[in-house]
Amino acid sequence: MIVREVEEAALDWVWAHRDRFALGEDALAAEGQVNRTWKPLGELARVCASVATCTPPTDPLHIRVRDLLDFAWQQTRRGELFLLMQSLEPFATYPLEVYAAFASAGHRHTGYEASAAVVARTRGWRLTEQCPTRRLGVIEAERRSGLNPHGRVPQALDRTWLGGLPEPWTFERAAGYALTHVVFHLTDWGRTPRGVPPDLADYLLHWLPPWLDTCLEARMWDLSCELLAVAAGLPRPPEPAVLEDAWQRVAAARHASGAIPEEGVIQESAGSAGSADGADPYAFTDCYHSTLMAAFAAALTTARLRDVDHAGQGAPG
């Protein structure tokens, strides 16, 4: 099945490049670039935690992502670095958001959680200015980390682009990434499809297919994979034909190494001559996130098809 092939190839690439997700000496530096240190590691943890949840323990991919999770947790010195970050940047939310990914997989640090709980009770924390989608994510991170959420999901949702049920023609790149993360937060990263309110589910069921087609036509592979993850996480997914076509196009975007670029023309794709050596034609920063999202979306899709088949309804082709 093409979806499984994409997932296996993507995770093979991630495993082969796991050292690129490692935290360097600049992870705690005041001038450090968070988007090049903590962000990739947090995304690795987030995806692996979700894939592990929706993959049977007997599946070799389950073992692979659990090993990647353990690797990522070791990079944080088993949570000690979160406590250090708390002292260096007490009102930064990204350490808690990264920690929540580990906590969802059972990796916890009681000292950090106690320290974060103190900061979370301050007015400064509650009043930190954030875009609506980010605030929704922080509320979810607080819940996952055992803290009292500083806001309520319905109110935070209403302020997001997707929550307002906007005119579909206003969809563009920023709105696309915002809506995917809203759905990820509402569904606990694919675990609970019923977390999407009925009006949003109906809206997405209608408009997600043309948006997905637009992104695929524009070769926006990263956003396309995120939209496929949304499709797999809805209470009722789009028509099978829509998803089959999309997955064929994503599969064609793969390099022989398993990597998928964030966007643009594919360089020596998996079916091309001259790519048999599997050497990467992309910089790590240009393909790691889209490759992780491909694995994430494929795992959710496979789990959804498995659930449908077990229910006796017959899986789509």
Side-chain angles (χ1 to χ4, degrees):
M1 185 176 181
I2 195 67
V3 178
R4 174 74 179 200
E5 292 176 10
V6 171
E7 181 183 6
E8 289 178 348
L11 288 176
D12 283 346
W13 183 91
V14 173
W15 178 260
H17 294 77
R18 60 191 181 280
D19 288 345
R20 298 297 304 274
F21 291 92
L23 293 177
E25 295 181 357
D26 59 340
L28 297 177
E31 69 280 3
Q33 298 183 37
V34 174
N35 286 344
R36 292 182 177 271
T37 55
W38 287 96
K39 185 173 182 286
L41 186 74
E43 289 164 342
L44 175 66
R46 178 72 274 166
V47 167
C48 288
S50 296
V51 174
T53 299
C54 66
T55 306
T58 55
D59 191 323
L61 294 186
H62 180 91
I63 299 171
R64 172 62 57 88
V65 294
R66 290 301 310 186
D67 287 344
L68 285 168
L69 263 173
D70 291 342
F71 164 81
W73 183 239
Q74 291 296 333
Q75 292 300 309
T76 71
R77 301 178 194 169
R78 302 186 65 81
E80 284 294 317
L81 290 189
F82 290 109
L83 199 55
L84 289 173
M85 290 300 297
Q86 183 77 52
S87 63
L88 294 172
E89 295 186 78
F91 295 100
T93 61
Y94 72 86
L96 182 69
E97 293 170 90
V98 174
Y99 176 80
F102 288 106
S104 71
H107 292 305
R108 308 191 79 107
H109 190 286
T110 55
Y112 171 68
E113 290 184 13
S115 178
V118 172
V119 174
R121 289 195 292 267
T122 65
R123 292 189 297 276
W125 177 268
R126 295 194 305 271
L127 298 174
T128 298
E129 298 200 17
Q130 299 155 332
C131 68
T133 302
R134 184 71 177 274
R135 184 167 292 275
L136 187 64
V138 172
I139 291 172
E140 171 63 15
E142 290 170 329
R143 183 184 67 80
R144 268 285 170 197
S145 304
L147 309 182
N148 291 323
H150 73 284
R152 298 188 59 177
V153 168
Q155 286 74 21
L157 174 61
D158 286 345
R159 297 190 58 213
T160 65
W161 184 85
L162 178 61
L165 301 179
E167 298 84 355
W169 50 266
T170 62
F171 175 89
E172 40 78 44
R173 183 193 300 267
Y177 280 109
L179 86 84
T180 59
H181 282 72
V182 166
V183 175
F184 296 160
H185 298 319
L186 291 176
T187 61
D188 195 8
W189 290 80
R191 288 182 175 91
T192 56
R194 297 296 175 185
V196 181
D199 58 337
L200 292 192
D202 290 342
Y203 178 81
L204 287 169
L205 185 64
H206 191 73
W207 293 112
L208 191 63
W211 291 339
L212 176 59
D213 184 64
T214 297
C215 292
L216 289 167
E217 283 294 321
R219 301 190 180 100
M220 299 168 64
W221 310 115
D222 186 57
L223 183 51
S224 294
C225 287
E226 290 203 8
L227 291 172
L228 280 169
V230 168
L234 292 177
R236 183 158 62 99
E239 291 296 321
V242 172
L243 301 182
E244 289 168 11
D245 174 69
W247 276 111
Q248 290 289 343
R249 292 156 80 177
V250 168
R254 284 181 300 150
H255 180 258
S257 64
I260 295 177
E262 287 199 359
E263 59 182 68
V265 178
I266 308 305
Q267 301 178 33
E268 294 185 351
S269 62
S272 301
S275 63
D277 60 356
D280 267 327
Y282 312 111
F284 177 78
T285 53
D286 293 337
C287 68
Y288 86 85
H289 187 266
S290 42
T291 305
L292 281 175
M293 287 298 104
F296 174 50
L300 292 184
T301 301
T302 300
R304 193 61 178 271
L305 295 179
R306 184 172 57 246
D307 291 344
V308 170
D309 194 36
H310 288 172
Q313 300 174 26

